[in-house]
Amino acid sequence: MNIILLAPPAAGKGTQAELLDEKYHLNHISTGDLLRNAASREDDFGKKLKEIMASGALVSDEIVLEMLEDHLEKSANQNLLFDGFPRTIHQAELLDEMLEKKNDKINYVFLLDVEEDILKKRITGRRICGKCNSVYNVNVEALNPKQENVCDKCGEKLYQRVDDNEESFNIRYQEYLEKTSPLINYYQESQKLYRIDSNQRKEVVFDSICKIIENNK
Ligand code: AMP
């Protein structure tokens, strides 16, 4: 079972990926996490990546695909859960090619649908654990950490992403509309797209996703 989580910024991809991973034991691949990891290097490449990502623009397809292929080579290839990938039609086409070569395919594309004003509120309140990547939100009561700025799961300090501000959000949202939202039609045509109302609590969203998976088993 291979899954794609398709969504605008701060719609809850990371949170749903974590829940799906816990329940179905998937190989969770977040291109955002892979890129943040590469951007933390002090060399020229790391600095350039950091700059692009902080601005809210997408990183080039070449860089993302090279990083992804490298990561897939080193990890288990079954039950892939893509979080934040593909983000362009070109990435989607290359992913299809990569999977076809292995006689594999994408089974579900869950489109997490959230209104723009809710996304804006979520983005400025998002806090992430520096150790286990768990996601919290200080603007959403149900997603507050129990202790301010501390991860409930591992006790590590929480941090705010440099691109989680209104200015970067506006660019990220534009990038989403221009480059990523055409994927909705792409996957609708192959009847893999499931639209999930994600304006709701994370448990409700997760439940909707699981029902679709269970009904198709
Ligand atoms: P995310 O963690 O998914 O919100 O991604 C954070 C940032 O990483 C994005 O704003 C982009 O700059 C970059 N990024 C992540 N995934 C991709 C991708 N598939 N294609 C291009 N850029 C990406």
Side-chain angles (χ1 to χ4, degrees):
M1 169 170 78
N2 298 319
I3 298 176
I4 291 173
L5 294 177
L6 179 61
K13 291 190 298 282
T15 304
Q16 293 305 320
E18 228 179 85
L19 294 168
L20 279 163
D21 193 7
E22 257 170 43
K23 179 162 175 160
Y24 295 106
H25 309 292
L26 306 163
N27 178 6
H28 175 195
I29 298 165
S30 156
T31 42
D33 284 347
L34 293 178
L35 288 164
R36 269 184 291 281
N37 195 21
S40 67
R41 295 202 313 243
E42 284 303 322
D43 54 14
D44 286 350
F45 179 65
K47 283 184 194 148
K48 184 82 207 140
L49 266 185
K50 203 183 280 176
E51 213 176 281
I52 298 170
M53 292 169 77
S55 77
L58 288 186
V59 174
S60 74
D61 287 346
E62 288 72 27
I63 293 178
V64 175
L65 286 155
E66 200 184 309
M67 203 161 286
L68 179 73
E69 274 177 327
D70 190 49
H71 179 75
L72 282 174
E73 260 171 39
K74 292 181 201 141
S75 65
N77 261 340
Q78 280 164 338
N79 295 327
L80 304 172
L81 170 61
F82 291 103
D83 155 7
F85 180 89
R87 262 182 159 99
T88 62
I89 293 279
H90 183 54
Q91 290 180 11
E93 287 170 347
L94 290 177
L95 176 62
D96 281 346
E97 275 174 31
M98 258 160 62
L99 292 172
E100 255 168 47
K101 275 188 205 152
K102 296 180 187 139
N103 276 332
D104 209 349
K105 61 176 181 164
I106 292 296
N107 304 89
Y108 304 98
V109 179
F110 294 112
L111 170 66
L112 308 183
D113 227 354
V114 184
E115 285 160 22
E116 190 183 349
D117 52 340
I118 297 183
L119 293 173
K120 253 187 203 167
K121 188 175 154 200
R122 283 189 190 171
I123 215 135
T124 50
R126 177 156 68 179
R127 300 290 182 275
I128 298 165
C129 173
K131 193 173 171 193
C132 72
N133 284 332
S134 292
V135 184
Y136 300 87
N137 203 302
V138 296
N139 292 345
V140 182
E141 211 183 319
L143 297 177
N144 286 180
K146 289 194 182 94
Q147 195 187 332
E148 198 180 331
N149 253 338
V150 176
C151 179
D152 292 354
K153 292 189 186 153
C154 68
E156 186 75 15
K157 254 178 86 176
L158 305 181
Y159 76 98
Q160 182 170 25
R161 273 170 49 171
V162 285
D163 56 347
D164 277 354
N165 59 70
E166 212 168 315
E167 198 187 344
S168 300
F169 170 79
N170 290 333
I171 295 173
R172 285 159 77 191
Y173 196 66
Q174 274 315 310
E175 290 279 75
Y176 172 76
L177 293 180
E178 277 170 33
K179 298 178 183 158
T180 309
S181 70
L183 292 174
I184 298 173
N185 267 345
Y186 182 87
Y187 287 117
Q188 220 154 20
E189 276 166 16
S190 51
Q191 295 176 346
K192 287 177 179 158
L193 191 91
Y194 298 85
R195 203 177 276 267
I196 310 286
D197 175 4
S198 304
N199 295 295
Q200 320 176 62
R201 283 188 301 117
K202 64 174 183 180
E203 294 81 5
V204 180
V205 175
F206 185 55
D207 199 41
S208 311
I209 294 177
C210 291
K211 275 195 183 122
I212 292 168
I213 296 175
E214 296 306 320
N215 285 342
N216 279 286
K217 264 187 178 171

Coordinates of all heavy atoms in Angstrom, one line a residue, residues 182-210:
P182 N -2.4 21.4 -9.5 CA -2.7 20.7 -10.7 C -2.7 19.2 -10.5 O -3.2 18.4 -11.3 CB -1.6 21.1 -11.7 CG -1.3 22.5 -11.2 CD -1.4 22.5 -9.7
L183 N -2.0 18.7 -9.4 CA -1.9 17.3 -9.1 C -3.3 16.7 -8.7 O -3.5 15.5 -8.8 CB -1.0 17.0 -8.0 CG 0.5 17.3 -8.2 CD1 1.3 17.1 -7.0 CD2 1.0 16.3 -9.3
I184 N -4.2 17.6 -8.3 CA -5.6 17.1 -8.0 C -6.2 16.5 -9.2 O -6.7 15.4 -9.1 CB -6.4 18.3 -7.4 CG1 -5.8 18.9 -6.1 CG2 -7.9 17.9 -7.2 CD1 -6.4 20.1 -5.6
N185 N -6.1 17.2 -10.3 CA -6.7 16.6 -11.6 C -5.9 15.4 -12.0 O -6.5 14.4 -12.4 CB -6.6 17.6 -12.7 CG -7.8 18.4 -12.8 OD1 -8.9 18.1 -12.2 ND2 -7.8 19.6 -13.5
Y186 N -4.6 15.5 -11.9 CA -3.7 14.4 -12.3 C -4.2 13.1 -11.6 O -4.3 12.0 -12.3 CB -2.3 14.7 -11.9 CG -1.2 13.7 -12.3 CD1 -0.7 13.7 -13.6 CD2 -0.8 12.7 -11.4 CE1 0.3 12.8 -14.0 CE2 0.2 11.8 -11.8 CZ 0.7 11.9 -13.0 OH 1.7 11.0 -13.4
Y187 N -4.4 13.1 -10.3 CA -4.7 11.9 -9.6 C -6.2 11.6 -9.6 O -6.6 10.4 -9.5 CB -4.3 12.0 -8.1 CG -2.7 11.8 -8.0 CD1 -2.0 12.9 -7.5 CD2 -2.1 10.7 -8.4 CE1 -0.6 12.8 -7.5 CE2 -0.7 10.5 -8.4 CZ 0.0 11.6 -7.9 OH 1.4 11.5 -7.8
Q188 N -7.0 12.6 -9.9 CA -8.5 12.4 -10.1 C -8.7 11.5 -11.3 O -9.5 10.6 -11.3 CB -9.2 13.7 -10.2 CG -10.5 13.8 -9.5 CD -10.9 15.2 -9.1 OE1 -10.4 16.1 -9.7 NE2 -11.8 15.3 -8.2
E189 N -7.9 11.8 -12.4 CA -8.0 11.1 -13.6 C -7.7 9.6 -13.4 O -8.3 8.8 -14.1 CB -7.1 11.7 -14.7 CG -7.8 12.9 -15.4 CD -6.8 13.7 -16.2 OE1 -5.7 13.3 -16.5 OE2 -7.2 14.9 -16.5
S190 N -6.8 9.3 -12.6 CA -6.5 7.9 -12.4 C -7.3 7.3 -11.2 O -7.0 6.2 -10.7 CB -5.0 7.7 -12.2 OG -4.5 8.6 -11.2
Q191 N -8.3 8.1 -10.7 CA -9.2 7.6 -9.7 C -8.5 7.2 -8.4 O -8.9 6.2 -7.8 CB -10.1 6.5 -10.2 CG -11.0 7.1 -11.3 CD -11.8 6.0 -12.0 OE1 -11.6 4.8 -11.8 NE2 -12.8 6.4 -12.7
K192 N -7.5 8.0 -8.0 CA -6.8 7.6 -6.8 C -7.0 8.7 -5.7 O -6.6 8.6 -4.6 CB -5.3 7.6 -7.1 CG -5.0 6.3 -7.9 CD -3.5 6.3 -8.2 CE -3.3 5.0 -9.0 NZ -2.1 5.1 -9.8
L193 N -7.7 9.7 -6.1 CA -7.8 10.9 -5.2 C -9.0 10.8 -4.3 O -10.1 10.5 -4.7 CB -8.0 12.2 -6.0 CG -7.8 13.4 -5.2 CD1 -6.3 13.9 -5.1 CD2 -8.7 14.6 -5.7
Y194 N -8.8 11.0 -3.0 CA -9.8 11.0 -2.0 C -9.7 12.4 -1.2 O -8.7 12.7 -0.7 CB -9.7 9.9 -1.0 CG -9.8 8.6 -1.6 CD1 -8.7 8.0 -2.2 CD2 -11.0 7.9 -1.7 CE1 -8.7 6.7 -2.8 CE2 -11.1 6.6 -2.3 CZ -10.0 6.1 -2.8 OH -10.1 4.8 -3.5
R195 N -10.8 13.2 -1.3 CA -10.8 14.5 -0.7 C -11.3 14.4 0.7 O -12.3 13.8 1.0 CB -11.8 15.4 -1.5 CG -11.6 16.8 -1.4 CD -12.6 17.5 -2.3 NE -12.2 17.6 -3.6 CZ -11.5 18.6 -4.1 NH1 -11.2 19.7 -3.4 NH2 -11.1 18.7 -5.4
I196 N -10.4 14.9 1.7 CA -10.7 14.8 3.1 C -11.0 16.2 3.7 O -10.0 17.0 3.6 CB -9.6 14.1 3.8 CG1 -9.1 12.8 3.2 CG2 -9.9 13.9 5.3 CD1 -10.0 11.6 3.3
D197 N -12.1 16.4 4.3 CA -12.3 17.6 4.9 C -11.4 17.7 6.2 O -11.6 17.0 7.1 CB -13.8 17.8 5.3 CG -14.1 19.0 6.1 OD1 -13.1 19.8 6.3 OD2 -15.2 19.2 6.6
S198 N -10.4 18.6 6.1 CA -9.4 18.6 7.2 C -9.5 19.9 8.0 O -8.5 20.2 8.6 CB -8.0 18.4 6.6 OG -8.0 17.2 5.8
N199 N -10.6 20.5 8.0 CA -10.8 21.7 8.9 C -11.1 21.2 10.3 O -11.4 22.0 11.2 CB -12.0 22.5 8.4 CG -11.7 23.1 7.0 OD1 -10.9 23.9 6.9 ND2 -12.5 22.7 6.0
Q200 N -11.2 19.9 10.5 CA -11.7 19.3 11.7 C -10.5 18.8 12.6 O -9.3 18.9 12.2 CB -12.6 18.2 11.4 CG -13.5 18.4 10.3 CD -14.4 17.3 9.9 OE1 -15.1 16.8 10.8 NE2 -14.2 16.7 8.7
R201 N -10.8 18.3 13.8 CA -9.8 17.8 14.7 C -9.0 16.6 14.0 O -9.6 15.9 13.2 CB -10.4 17.3 16.0 CG -10.9 18.4 16.9 CD -11.3 17.8 18.3 NE -12.4 16.9 18.1 CZ -12.4 15.6 18.4 NH1 -11.3 15.1 18.9 NH2 -13.4 14.8 18.3
K202 N -7.8 16.5 14.5 CA -6.9 15.5 13.8 C -7.5 14.1 13.9 O -7.3 13.3 12.9 CB -5.5 15.5 14.4 CG -5.4 15.1 15.8 CD -3.9 15.1 16.3 CE -3.8 14.6 17.7 NZ -2.5 14.5 18.2
E203 N -8.2 13.7 15.0 CA -8.7 12.4 15.2 C -9.9 12.1 14.1 O -10.0 11.0 13.6 CB -9.3 12.2 16.6 CG -8.3 12.2 17.7 CD -7.9 13.6 18.1 OE1 -8.5 14.6 17.6 OE2 -7.0 13.7 19.0
V204 N -10.6 13.2 13.9 CA -11.8 13.1 12.9 C -11.2 12.9 11.5 O -11.7 12.0 10.7 CB -12.7 14.3 13.0 CG1 -13.8 14.2 12.0 CG2 -13.2 14.6 14.4
V205 N -10.2 13.7 11.2 CA -9.5 13.6 9.9 C -9.0 12.2 9.7 O -9.2 11.5 8.7 CB -8.4 14.6 9.7 CG1 -7.7 14.5 8.4 CG2 -9.0 16.0 9.8
F206 N -8.3 11.7 10.7 CA -7.6 10.4 10.7 C -8.7 9.3 10.5 O -8.5 8.4 9.7 CB -6.8 10.1 11.9 CG -6.0 8.9 11.9 CD1 -5.1 8.6 10.9 CD2 -6.2 7.9 12.9 CE1 -4.4 7.4 10.8 CE2 -5.4 6.7 12.9 CZ -4.6 6.5 11.9
D207 N -9.8 9.4 11.2 CA -10.8 8.4 11.1 C -11.4 8.4 9.6 O -11.6 7.3 9.1 CB -12.0 8.9 12.0 CG -12.9 7.7 12.3 OD1 -12.3 6.6 12.5 OD2 -14.1 7.9 12.3
S208 N -11.5 9.5 9.0 CA -12.0 9.5 7.6 C -11.0 8.8 6.7 O -11.4 8.1 5.8 CB -12.1 11.0 7.1 OG -12.8 11.8 7.9
I209 N -9.7 9.0 6.9 CA -8.7 8.4 6.1 C -8.8 6.9 6.3 O -8.8 6.1 5.3 CB -7.3 9.0 6.4 CG1 -7.2 10.4 6.0 CG2 -6.2 8.1 5.7 CD1 -5.9 11.1 6.3
C210 N -8.8 6.5 7.6 CA -8.8 5.0 7.8 C -10.0 4.3 7.3 O -9.9 3.2 6.8 CB -8.7 4.8 9.4 SG -7.2 5.3 10.1

